[in-house]
């Protein structure tokens, strides 16, 4: 789109705004003291609103063309485009280095450290759900169920049997993966909206079972007194056997927070590494084939049953790991922590970041969890601002911040094939 077309679009949008808001903003009416209708004009506010729509239309269209589809006409100078490409190339390593240095930079700011741990927890959940939704294309609205299974698995095993975190962590992942397989069987023949309904119901069933099975889970009272994690058997407290005493340093409660930060960072990086490795294996390519076209996938001889079950089990396992970490960090878990809102939030992170994109999911988690805290000062208006930001991003980038849905293996350029090779019986 050239400059004249850009100005024409902005002018049309401004004209529509003028018509729509002329009576809503431009003229204000009110009942007078004797009951008559009085009115006065607010042309200044109306002009400001129309000017904002005009300028906003230009900005949105420019942004859309900056990161638009390949081959589209771009109004951005080549220098700016190369700068953006440079930033995009080194964004992930820079983000990882900054994350590693967060406890060093913000050592004395407990709020920042707690917020960083929360963001990393949702990054891990987003990467786990990305296996199911982003890679395999299976819409899962009940992902919080696996998060709950992992949390309750660790909480109950640790409080009843006294097992350590490092023993319960893999067990929590295995149990969550087992429930992922159980969910996978009933939905093998479902897709689209029906799959979403069943997974949503599964999440609610798990939550209701937790509430009503009071003998085991404590019901609404939850599970309390969950042990804190140790550094491979060495407690992070002020005792003589604690890590600080063994290292000969002064004890600080921040040591445990820093340990939790690096623990969830290691779990999140493990999730990312396993996902990237699986994507390059035949099972990862089968997930991508299933996402693109299930009928064609089946026609190629791929076992869609195994493919779906492995996707559910892998995503559920990472959710179970995150749940175990959540339980040991909080020391207390209850059904209120595993509502549908959590599933919707994790799904929104995956969709907003770009289904299939690991970096996009991390950026979306940072924006949605960190940005939500950033707007805390706006109180009741922060949800409005949050919703408007999501709508604008979906208009601007319908495939997410970093839309990455290209299969791992594909032809880099079109190749002509002889008609003899595609006739009946040959391909």
């Amino acid at each position: 789109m050239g400059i004249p077309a850009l100005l024409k679009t902005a002018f049309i949008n401004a004209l529509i705004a003028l018509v729509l808001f002329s009576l809503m903003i431009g003229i204000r009416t009110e009942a007078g003291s004797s009951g008559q209708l009085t009115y006065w004009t607010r042309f200044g506010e109306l002009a400001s609103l129309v000017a904002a729509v005009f300028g906003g239309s230009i900005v949105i269209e420019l942004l859309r063309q900056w990161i638009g589809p390949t081959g589209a006409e771009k109004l951005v100078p080549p220098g700016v485009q190369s700068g953006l490409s440079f930033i995009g190339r080194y964004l992930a390593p820079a983000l990882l280095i900054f994350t590693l240095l967060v406890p060093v930079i913000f050592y004395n700011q407990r709020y920042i450290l707690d917020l960083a741990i929360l963001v990393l927890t949702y990054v891990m959940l987003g990467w786990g759900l990305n296996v199911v939704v982003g890679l395999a294309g299976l819409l899962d609205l009940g992902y919080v169920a696996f998060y709950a299974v992992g949390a309750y698995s660790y909480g109950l095993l640790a409080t009843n049997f006294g097992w350590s975190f490092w023993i319960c962590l893999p067990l929590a992942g295995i149990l969550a993966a087992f429930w992922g397989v159980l969910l996978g069987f009933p939905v093998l023949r479902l897709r689209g909206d029906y799959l979403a309904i069943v997974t949503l119901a599964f999440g609610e069933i798990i939550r209701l079972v937790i509430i009503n099975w009071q003998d085991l889970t404590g019901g609404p009272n939850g599970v309390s007194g969950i042990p804190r994690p140790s550094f491979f058997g060495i407690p992070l407290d002020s005792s003589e056997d604690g890590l600080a005493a063994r290292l000969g340093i002064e004890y600080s409660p921040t040591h445990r927070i820093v340990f939790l930060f690096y623990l969830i960072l290691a779990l999140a990086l493990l999730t990312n590494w396993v996902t990237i490795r699986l994507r390059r294996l035949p099972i990862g390519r089968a997930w991508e084939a299933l996402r693109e076209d299930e009928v064609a996938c089946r026609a190629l001889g791929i076992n869609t049953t195994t493919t779906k079950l492995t996707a559910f089990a892998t995503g559920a396992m990472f959710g179970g790991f995150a749940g175990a970490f959540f339980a040991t960090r909080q020391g207390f878990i209850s059904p209120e922590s595993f509502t549908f809102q959590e599933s919707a939030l994790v799904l929104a992170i995956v969709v907003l970041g770009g289904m299939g994109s690991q970096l996009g999911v991390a950026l979306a988690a940072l924006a949605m969890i960190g940005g939500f805290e950033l707007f805390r000062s706006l109180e009741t208006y922060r949800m409005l601002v949050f919703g408007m930001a999501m709508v604008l991003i979906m208009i601007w980038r319908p495939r997410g911040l970093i839309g990455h849905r290209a299969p791992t293996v594909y032809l880099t350029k079109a190749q002509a094939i002889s008609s003899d090779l595609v006739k009946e019986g040959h391909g």
Side-chain angles (χ1 to χ4, degrees), residues 276-335:
I276 292 174
R277 295 295 299 174
L278 286 177
R279 192 168 183 173
R280 296 173 182 171
L281 295 176
I283 186 62
R285 292 168 183 169
W287 289 342
E288 293 176 344
L290 180 70
R291 177 190 66 191
E292 298 301 324
D293 193 328
E294 184 174 345
V295 176
C297 177
R298 190 177 299 145
L300 288 172
I302 297 174
N303 188 338
T304 56
T305 301
T306 307
T307 305
K308 286 184 178 180
L309 291 181
T310 52
F312 274 115
T314 307
M317 180 182 66
F318 293 134
F321 288 156
F325 173 81
F326 173 77
T328 192
R329 179 204 171 204
Q330 296 294 111
F332 169 76
I333 51 175
S334 67

Side-chain angles (χ1 to χ4, degrees), residues 209-221:
V209 167
I210 291 174
I211 291 176
N212 291 287
W213 199 352
Q214 298 191 12
D215 295 337
L216 179 66
T217 64
N221 297 323

